[in-house]
Every structure is written in C-alpha cells, then in structure tokens.
C-alpha cells in the first residue's frame, strides 16, 4: 500500500516549471550574472532564502543539517566574483530530468542518490522518521519518488533478499528513510534555483516598472465623516436612484479591470495575490498542500482572475438592464414580478461571489484566518478546491471579535441580514478601536468592502421594490447560462500557457510584456470559443433580457399589445453539457457568424488595454471650469498630471477637495465611499464609488485609477480647475 507521507508530484511539477523558466531566460541570465559584483550576488542569493539565511561555506554547521543535504548552496562558492559556479549549477539542474539528477551530478560528481548515501555514511545524516518496512522507487519518470509499505518486517526482508534484491542493489529502490532525503535535496535545490532566477532578472533589469504600491498607514486613520450606510434604516428610493447606484457600481468594477489592462504594476500585484491565495495551498486533513505556484498554474490563475472580474461586471450589467426594464414596464404587474425575481437572484449570486472572494483572501497562506480553514482532499466545486471552516465561527468564545466577524461573514449560512449585522459590528469595533484594522491585510479589507457594496445595495433595493427572496429551487435564465459558460471557461483555463510573459510574474513589469500577455490571452479565448470574453458575456446579458420579455409576451393574450417587441434576439450560444469535437466546432462557428454582425466596439470588458476614457458629449453639459482654492487645485492638478512622478495626494485632502465642490460623502463600509454630486452645481448627476487607500496617501497607479474614474464619469481634466482669485 502507499506510504502516508510521500508526495513526489509536488517535486515533479516544480521541476518542470524550473525547466520551462530556465529555457525562457537562460540567455538573459548568462548576460546578467557576470555583471554582478560580490555584493549584488549575495543580495540575489539571499533574497529567496528563508530569513535570508544561507550557508557561508560547504562545511557551515550554523544552520544544522543543511550542509549535509545541499552544501553546494553556499555564499562562498555562489557569489565568488568572476565565477560561473551558479550558472553551471543552473545549467545542470535546469536541463536534466529528475531521474538523470538522481543518477549523476555535474562534471562527473555524484548524483543526488549517491550524495545522500555518502552523507548518511560520513556525517550520520538521518531522516526524522524511520519509515519501517517502506521503500521508495526511483526507476522511471512515471513511478519516480513513489513509496510503498509492506505489511510487516518479515515480508520486507524477504522482498529485499528475494524478488526486489536486484532493484535494491542497483539503487533503483531504496529504503524510504533514504528516499525522503533524496527527494528533500531535489525539492530544496529546485525551489532555490527557481527563486534565484526571479531575483537575478529583477535585480538586473533596468527597464522594469519600479513603481510601488501605496504603503499601509501605520496609524490606520479612520475617517468618521458619517455613519456607514449599513447602519441606516433603508429608505424607499426611486428606480432612477437605484439604477444610478447600479451603474456606478458596474463602472467601479469595470474601471478595476481597466486598471489591470493598463497598469502592469497593478496586474503583477493582483496576480501575485491570486496565485498565493489559491485554495489548493491550504492544508488538507493530513497537512498536505498542492504544487500550484508553478508557471503552469500562474497561467491558469491569470485566466481565472480576468474571467472572474468580467463575470462580476456582467452581473452588474444584468442588474442595470433589469432595472431599466422595470422602469420601462412599471405598470405590468406580471412582468414586474418576474423581473424582481431575476433581480433578487442576480443580487444573491453577486453576494455569494463576494462572500467566496472574502473567504479566499482570508483563508490563504499567511492570511488572518489561515488556521481556521481546511481543504477537503480531492474535492472540487465547479473546478475550485473545496475549503471548509474547521469550527463554526458562531460558536467562537469571546476574544478576537474582529476576526470572528470576518469568519462569520464567510460562513455558508450567513445571509444578507446576518452579513449586515456583522458589518455593523465591525464598524462599531473600528469606531471604538481604530487600530484594530491594522491586523487585517489590505486585500482582506478590500474584499470586505466589495461585499458591503452588494449588501448595502440589496437592502435598499428590497426596501424600495419589495424584492422577493432569491430562488432556491429554480435556476433562472441568467444563473443557468452563466454556470454553463463558467464550466466552459474553467476547462479552457487548464489549457492556456502564458509562461512566456508571466514567468516569473514580475516579468510583466518589463516594457510591452503585460500588453503582449493580454493579447495572447485574448487570442487564446477567440481561438477556443469563437469570440472574445467580452462578447460572450455581452451575449449572455442580451439573451437573458430578450428571453425574459419573450417569455412574458408568450403568456399574454393575443390582444395584449402594450409590450413592444424587443429588437434583441437570443444570441447566447452555449456548449452542450457533453460535447464532441464536432459539437464544439459547430458552436464556435455559430458564435463567429454572430460576431460578424456585431457593431464595432459593442462588447464590454474585452481583454485589451483600454485608451484613456472619453465622455460622450451627450452625457455631459458643456465643459465646466471650477474656481477653487489653492489646496483643492493642488489635489486635482496632481491627480490629472501626466507626469510619471507626480507625487501623492492625501486622502483627507481629496475628500476636502470634493467637499468644496459640494459633493456628499457616504461611506458604504470600511474603505468604500460613495461621492454624490450636488443637484444644483452643474455637475453630471452620477454618483461615484471609490476605495479609500489603506494608508493615508493616494499614489502610483492608484492615483491614475482615481483620475480615470473622475474623467470617465464627470469629464474632468487638469484644465477643469483654476485658482480662485481673491476678492
């Protein structure tokens, strides 16, 4: 039977990733490394080491048994000026198979197996576990590193002296206590070499975008402008107001995608967050994790991240379309009831999605709630590894109230009402103890804010339109079709390869690389689905809206003519549940035919860098110039500056500048704020939602995001503001 601890698949995946990465970058590595002096070589070698600790020389005893397992990874040999020791080590271990490395080393030195056996004989190296009656196979690539256990010692001895004697004497089979040390040596060296490639490329690059993310403010300043909207009792609102809010939230998430399209720093940062929060990195019941940080998985995660963002904006587009229909056919009671049910289902889907994202970023390695989650081994829900909370957070004893509220928000039984209560409790906690927020990461707080958006919106929607509960039995048009499209995209995500651009992830910071990655991703989707992601999801929304009206018309008596026929027809084309190659080709061809009839630039959220926003003249009044005081002029001049190094803007200064323009500022939750323009100020009557930075400063690409949003919604630019002259 299989022994309980060995998992060679992790090593195999990591080694394959190293081979691909080295092949991509070996020429650049050989160009850069000879230019590094000793200090820079030390920096590169130490950068990827735990706590920056590396052997000083091959016989350095200060790090325990490390010198017995991989002594070649030492500062003296690796960083000697004019030495190619590291390059030679990379060349050998990044071009050979694991089995070849097992048998022989570079320049006729011992292979990994012989090295470990000699270290056991000469230095007394031993594995911490004895693994009685177990052996490990190093026969071929398929069975490489797999361990087995005999039922008792007698059977083990008989096998070693009988049928398996030749395999043991040749070294193809070894006791598992030896095999684990061999695998450990190969795993550590593979990881160290993979990391040092990234660090050499980073330290040696002169073209990489070096702009940094805004630092988190140590004081975690709390802007107590007004109470959170979730505190307020919902008041009835007109559909116009609800539509404006929905359009603003859709624009908020659309602009987030645009930021990834246009800012490589934002793309690399977000991709790192998604890669290192994968559910597969959470330990299962036996403490195991999966090797999902390699190049192969980085490509899949980038696809997942982009697809996830487009699905989110699609839901808000669908919500906006439903509200538009409600307003158009306000007197049709039957249609109104149907539309309200679709609205309820769409809002519930967005709530569940935001809840899952909060859980993802709260449960990953190094996250605040990491120890409270466990992955279920080999169980997946729609392609995502299942992760459960170890303990019901509703039963937690008093103590860390903040973390308890976060964990309760992630719990499957938490509905809209319970979520509202927990968000209110969090705000009350932060009002009384502002520094508590410092214990949560920026990603966790952002995820909470995005959850609060749909919670707040749904509450006001329910109070204004008497929203029914979400359907628990019937899968509505949008839900069912979105699930079918998601299944198709999930299968596609395992086939994409973006390693030429995102290996390592920070390679996206090199000039033109991020744009090439977007183009490659876009072309991959077109080749495999027939159209762009934006077109797929635009068709999903249009088809659902068209079919809602069609179903209603079919239920009416022939004399009922007050519902105008829709110009849209159902254009959504989904893969059938079980597809053959001919089925797939037929569906792709159907989509391509429909795409030819689509107006130019008609799809939303396409995967391509977007130009700076321009606002249609039909949406805006003639250009307006605001005469403002010097501090306000400084804020907007900095925001709209085209200079690469344009400084920063304090959040409080930004709020004060908006206040001078008579905007009302309404916090939604935590870092999410909505700015509402005055009705008599000549400003476009659209509210705008923004994330407060986790520090006190707006800088870097975050500032560009703010400028794009303000320009898109209000048409503002640097010339829109002038210094008010003294009377």
């Amino acid at each position: 039977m299989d022994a309980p601890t060995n998992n060679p698949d992790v090593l195999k995946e990591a080694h394959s990733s190293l081979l691909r990465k080295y092949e991509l970058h070996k020429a650049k590595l050989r160009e850069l490394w000879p230019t590094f002096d000793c200090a820079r070589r030390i920096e590169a070698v130490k950068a990827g080491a735990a706590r920056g600790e590396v052997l000083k020389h091959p016989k350095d005893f200060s790090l325990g048994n490390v010198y017995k397992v991989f002594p070649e990874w030492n500062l003296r040999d690796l960083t000697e000026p004019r030495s190619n020791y590291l390059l030679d080590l990379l060349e050998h271990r990044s071009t050979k198979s694991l089995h070849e490395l097992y048998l022989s080393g570079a320049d006729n030195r011992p292979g990994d197996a012989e090295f470990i056996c000699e270290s056991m004989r000469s230095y007394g190296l031993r594995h911490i576990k004895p693994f009685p009656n177990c052996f490990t196979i190093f026969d071929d690539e398929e069975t490489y590193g797999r361990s087995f256990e005999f039922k008792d010692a007698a059977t083990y001895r008989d096998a070693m002296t009988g049928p398996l004697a030749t395999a043991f004497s040749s070294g193809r089979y070894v006791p598992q206590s030896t095999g684990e040390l061999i695998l450990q040596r190969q795993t550590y060296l593979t990881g160290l070499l993979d990391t040092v490639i990234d660090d050499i490329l980073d330290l040696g690059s002169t073209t990489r975008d070096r702009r940094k993310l805004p630092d988190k403010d140590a004081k975690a300043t709390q802007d107590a402008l007004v109470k959170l909207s979730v505190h307020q009792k919902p008041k009835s609102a007109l559909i116009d107001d609800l539509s404006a809010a929905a359009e603003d939230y859709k624009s908020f998430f659309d602009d987030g995608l645009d930021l990834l399209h246009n800012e490589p720093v934002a793309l690399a940062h977000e991709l790192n967050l998604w890669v290192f929060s994968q559910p597969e990195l959470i330990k299962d019941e036996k403490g195991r994790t999966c090797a999902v940080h390699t190049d192969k998985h980085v490509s899949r995660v980038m696809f997942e991240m982009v697809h996830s963002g487009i699905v989110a904006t699609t839901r808000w587009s669908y919500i906006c379309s439903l509200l538009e229909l409600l307003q158009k056919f306000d007197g049709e009671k039957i249609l109104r009831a149907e539309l309200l049910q679709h609205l309820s289902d769409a809002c519930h889907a967005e709530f569940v999605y935001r809840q899952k994202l909060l859980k993802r970023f709260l449960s990953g390695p190094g996250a605040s709630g990491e120890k409270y989650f466990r992955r279920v081994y080999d169980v997946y829900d729609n392609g995502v590894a299942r992760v459960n909370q170890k303990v019901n957070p509703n039963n937690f004893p008093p103590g860390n109230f903040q973390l308890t509220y976060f964990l309760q928000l992630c719990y499957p039984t938490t509905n809209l009402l319970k979520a509202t209560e927990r968000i209110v409790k969090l705000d009350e906690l932060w009002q009384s103890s502002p520094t508590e927020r410092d214990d949560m990461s920026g990603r966790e707080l952002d995820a909470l804010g995005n959850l609060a958006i749909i919670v707040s919106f749904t509450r006001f929607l329910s109070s204004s339109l008497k929203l029914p509960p979400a359907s628990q039995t019937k899968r509505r048009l949008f839900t069912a079709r979105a699930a079918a499209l998601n299944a198709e995209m999930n299968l596609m995500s395992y086939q994409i390869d973006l390693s030429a651009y995102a290996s390592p992830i920070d390679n996206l910071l090199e000039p033109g690389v991020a744009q090439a990655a977007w183009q490659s991703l876009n072309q991959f989707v077109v080749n495999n689905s027939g159209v762009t992601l934006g077109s797929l999801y635009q068709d999903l929304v249009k088809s659902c809206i068209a079919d809602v009206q069609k179903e209603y018309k079919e239920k009416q008596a022939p004399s009922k003519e007050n519902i105008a026929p829709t110009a849209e027809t159902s254009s959504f084309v989904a893969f059938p549940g079980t597809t053959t190659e001919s089925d797939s080709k037929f569906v792709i061809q159907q989509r391509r035919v429909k795409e030819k009839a689509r107006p130019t630039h008609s799809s939303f959220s396409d995967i391509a860098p977007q130009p700076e926003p321009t606002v249609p003249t039909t949406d805006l009044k003639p250009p307006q110039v605001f005469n403002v005081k010097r501090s306000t002029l400084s804020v907007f001049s900095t925001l709209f500056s085209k200079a690469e190094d344009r400084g920063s803007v304090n959040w409080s200064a930004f709020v004060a500048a908006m206040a001078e323009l008579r905007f009302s500022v309404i916090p939604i939750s935590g870092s999410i704020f909505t700015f509402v323009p005055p009705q008599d100020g000549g400003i476009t009557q659209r509210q705008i939602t923004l994330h407060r930075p986790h520090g006190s400063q707006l800088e870097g690409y975050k500032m560009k995001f703010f400028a794009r949003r303000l320009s898109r919604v209000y048409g503002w630019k640097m010339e829109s503001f002038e210094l008010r002259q003294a009377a």
Side-chain angles (χ1 to χ4, degrees):
M1 62 183 243
D2 286 346
T5 60
N6 196 23
N7 184 11
D9 291 339
V10 173
L11 170 60
K12 291 177 182 178
E13 181 68 38
H15 184 68
S16 296
S17 177
L18 175 62
L19 265 59
R20 290 193 298 270
K21 184 178 289 187
Y22 181 71
E23 182 62 27
L24 281 170
H25 301 293
K26 62 182 179 182
K28 192 67 176 177
L29 293 169
R30 291 197 167 275
E31 173 191 332
L32 291 174
W33 187 246
T35 68
F36 283 20
D37 59 17
C38 184
R40 209 167 202 197
R41 290 186 175 199
I42 290 174
E43 183 181 0
V45 172
K46 281 189 170 185
R51 300 178 297 278
E53 296 176 342
V54 182
L55 294 175
K56 296 180 180 65
H57 51 79
K59 300 297 183 183
D60 182 2
F61 303 156
S62 65
L63 299 182
N65 286 332
V66 172
Y67 78 98
K68 301 177 184 179
V69 181
F70 45 96
E72 56 265 69
W73 199 261
N74 68 86
L75 290 175
R76 189 194 71 187
D77 296 335
L78 291 169
T79 64
E80 177 69 25
R82 298 179 301 278
S83 167
N84 285 331
Y85 179 86
L86 176 58
L87 292 178
D88 293 342
L89 184 63
L90 263 171
E91 175 70 23
H92 175 67
R93 301 200 72 91
S94 304
T95 58
K96 307 292 184 184
S97 69
L98 288 171
H99 192 252
E100 289 173 319
L101 295 173
Y102 176 86
L103 295 174
S104 61
D107 300 326
N108 296 317
R109 290 194 291 268
D112 292 331
E114 185 179 347
F115 177 88
I116 289 295
C117 290
E118 178 59 30
S119 192
M120 294 175 74
R121 288 191 296 267
S122 302
Y123 300 110
L125 176 65
R126 295 291 183 272
H127 196 280
I128 193 171
K129 295 181 180 179
F131 300 105
N133 311 322
C134 298
F135 69 97
T136 305
I137 299 176
F138 292 96
D139 205 359
D140 53 42
E141 291 298 318
E142 183 177 352
T143 59
Y144 189 88
R146 190 174 179 187
S147 296
F148 295 87
E149 181 181 8
F150 286 99
K151 63 181 180 180
D152 53 44
T155 309
Y156 181 63
R157 285 193 302 271
D158 291 343
M160 290 186 68
T161 57
L164 302 182
T166 303
F168 272 98
S169 63
S170 66
R172 292 183 292 121
Y173 293 5
V174 298
Q176 189 178 352
S177 56
T178 302
E180 290 292 328
L181 291 170
I182 296 170
L183 292 173
Q184 189 177 70
R185 170 179 164 82
Q186 293 189 330
T187 298
Y188 276 119
L189 284 173
T190 297
L192 290 166
L193 290 168
D194 186 273
T195 302
V196 84
I197 290 176
D198 297 354
D199 294 324
I200 293 171
L201 293 174
D202 182 55
L203 290 170
S205 175
T206 58
T207 55
R208 189 165 286 185
D209 194 331
R210 299 290 182 182
R211 285 173 294 169
K212 301 295 184 183
L213 293 168
D215 292 330
K216 186 176 179 180
D217 185 7
K219 296 181 180 179
T221 56
Q222 186 77 7
D223 296 285
L225 298 170
V226 294
K227 290 290 186 180
L228 290 176
S229 63
V230 289
H231 274 286
Q232 303 169 359
K233 182 178 180 180
K235 298 178 181 179
S236 179
L238 298 174
I239 292 183
D240 278 346
D241 298 327
L242 295 169
S243 295
E247 287 286 354
D248 175 46
Y249 296 145
K250 177 185 178 297
S251 173
F252 175 75
F253 293 115
D254 269 339
D255 288 344
L257 275 176
D258 282 351
L259 186 68
L260 299 184
H261 290 153
N262 291 279
E263 289 294 325
V265 174
L267 175 62
H269 172 69
E270 193 74 8
L271 183 54
N272 267 301
L273 290 175
W274 276 73
V275 167
F276 292 102
S277 63
Q278 293 177 82
E280 289 84 357
L281 293 173
I282 299 171
K283 294 178 180 179
D284 64 15
E285 63 278 6
K286 292 186 178 180
R288 297 168 296 192
T289 61
C290 301
V292 290
H293 56 278
T294 56
D295 299 342
K296 168 185 172 183
H297 296 283
V298 169
S299 298
R300 176 183 59 79
V301 172
M302 182 170 172
F303 184 93
E304 176 193 5
M305 177 184 76
V306 174
H307 176 239
S308 178
I310 289 178
V311 171
T313 61
T314 299
R315 269 192 296 270
W316 281 105
S317 179
Y318 182 56
I319 289 170
C320 291
S321 298
L322 290 171
L323 286 170
E324 184 180 341
L325 279 183
L326 267 174
Q327 188 172 33
K328 184 177 181 180
F329 303 119
D330 187 48
E332 297 295 326
K333 292 184 178 181
I334 297 177
L335 178 58
R336 178 183 175 86
E338 188 70 15
L339 291 172
L340 288 176
Q341 185 62 65
H342 285 295
L343 258 178
S344 179
D345 293 346
C347 289
H348 178 71
E350 175 68 4
F351 172 76
V352 171
Y353 166 72
R354 293 298 167 188
Q355 192 180 41
K356 287 180 178 178
L357 274 191
L358 178 61
K359 177 180 175 181
R360 176 180 183 136
F361 294 119
L362 192 67
S363 62
S368 301
E370 176 185 10
K371 66 180 182 180
Y372 297 101
F373 292 88
R374 178 185 292 127
R375 180 173 53 87
V376 182
Y377 176 71
D378 205 29
V379 176
Y380 292 81
D381 299 315
N382 300 318
V384 179
R386 182 181 297 178
V387 174
N388 293 333
Q389 291 192 34
K390 296 179 182 178
V391 182
N392 186 333
N394 297 314
N395 299 329
F396 277 7
N400 189 339
F401 291 107
Q402 177 174 248
L403 183 56
T404 298
Y405 297 149
F406 268 85
L407 292 169
Q408 288 171 342
L409 283 167
C410 298
Y411 205 62
T413 59
T414 298
N415 56 22
L416 184 76
L417 179 60
K418 291 180 181 178
T420 303
E421 293 170 352
R422 298 304 177 268
I423 293 172
V424 168
K425 287 183 178 295
L426 274 170
D427 181 60
E428 291 171 346
L429 176 66
W430 292 335
Q431 294 286 344
S432 61
S433 303
T435 57
E436 288 276 347
R437 284 169 57 95
D438 280 343
D439 294 335
M440 310 305 295
S441 71
R443 181 74 277 184
E444 292 162 350
L445 293 172
D446 280 351
L448 171 68
N450 292 338
L451 175 66
I453 284 177
I454 188 60
V455 169
S456 176
F457 178 78
T458 307
R459 289 180 71 242
F460 280 93
L461 196 64
S462 298
S463 67
S464 303
L465 300 177
K466 309 302 179 186
L467 208 62
S471 175
Q472 299 298 319
T473 55
K474 182 179 177 182
R475 298 189 78 185
R476 302 277 168 171
L477 285 173
F478 184 84
T479 308
R481 291 177 182 177
L485 203 49
N486 182 69
E488 180 186 345
M489 295 300 107
N490 183 56
L491 289 174
M492 200 181 295
S493 70
Y494 287 89
Q495 303 166 18
I496 191 169
D497 182 5
L498 300 172
S499 57
Y501 316 103
S503 175
I505 292 175
D506 282 353
N507 193 49
L508 292 166
L509 302 177
E510 296 289 354
V513 174
Q515 184 175 10
W518 284 115
Q519 291 169 346
S520 178
L521 201 160
N522 190 55
Q523 192 58 51
F524 172 82
V525 174
V526 171
N527 291 344
N528 287 273
S529 71
V531 294
T532 65
L533 267 178
S535 295
L536 282 172
Y537 281 96
Q538 183 184 48
D539 287 345
L540 171 63
V541 172
K542 286 186 174 182
S543 68
C544 289
I545 294 298
D547 287 347
V548 166
Q549 296 181 75
K550 180 181 177 183
E551 287 179 6
Y552 174 68
K553 281 191 64 182
E554 290 174 349
K555 293 177 183 178
Q556 305 307 299
S559 59
K560 189 89 169 179
E561 297 296 341
N562 56 331
I563 301 293
T566 175
E568 300 287 352
T569 58
S570 182
S571 55
F572 179 71
V573 183
F575 275 75
T578 303
T579 63
T580 63
E581 185 176 352
S582 59
D583 291 334
S584 300
K585 289 181 178 179
F586 177 72
V587 169
I588 290 172
Q589 184 59 33
Q590 277 189 300
R591 288 172 174 170
R592 285 175 175 162
V593 169
K594 291 180 179 293
E595 183 72 5
K596 291 179 180 178
R598 190 188 308 276
T600 306
H601 305 306
S602 66
S603 62
F604 55 82
S605 300
D606 270 334
I607 308 172
Q610 304 296 312
E612 289 294 323
T614 57
V615 183
T617 55
T618 55
D619 292 346
L620 293 176
K621 298 180 182 299
Q624 183 177 15
V625 176
F626 299 94
N627 294 308
V628 296
K629 59 186 179 183
R630 188 174 301 278
S631 59
T632 298
L633 179 63
S634 175
V635 166
F636 290 114
S637 296
T638 304
L639 274 177
F640 291 107
S641 171
K642 299 297 183 182
E644 196 63 41
D645 184 14
R646 48 184 169 176
S648 62
V649 171
N650 183 275
W651 170 256
S652 298
F654 174 75
V655 173
M658 296 295 281
E660 186 185 350
L661 300 179
R662 296 192 295 126
F663 274 76
S664 301
V665 187
I666 305 173
I668 300 300
S669 175
S671 62
I672 302 290
F673 288 78
T674 294
F675 294 80
V676 182
Q679 293 185 351
D680 58 349
I683 301 173
T684 302
Q685 291 300 295
R686 284 182 59 188
Q687 66 184 46
I688 184 171
T689 297
L690 296 167
H691 262 296
R692 183 187 64 193
H694 299 302
S696 59
Q697 300 295 321
L698 270 171
E699 53 190 352
Y701 74 81
K702 292 282 189 181
M703 191 155 54
K704 185 174 287 189
F705 173 71
F706 271 51
R708 287 175 66 87
R709 290 228 69 206
L710 293 170
S711 180
R712 187 186 300 276
V713 176
Y714 303 118
W716 292 350
K717 51 188 177 180
M718 186 179 291
E719 293 76 18
S720 301
F721 303 92
E722 292 181 351
L723 180 64
R724 184 168 55 238
Q725 300 299 319

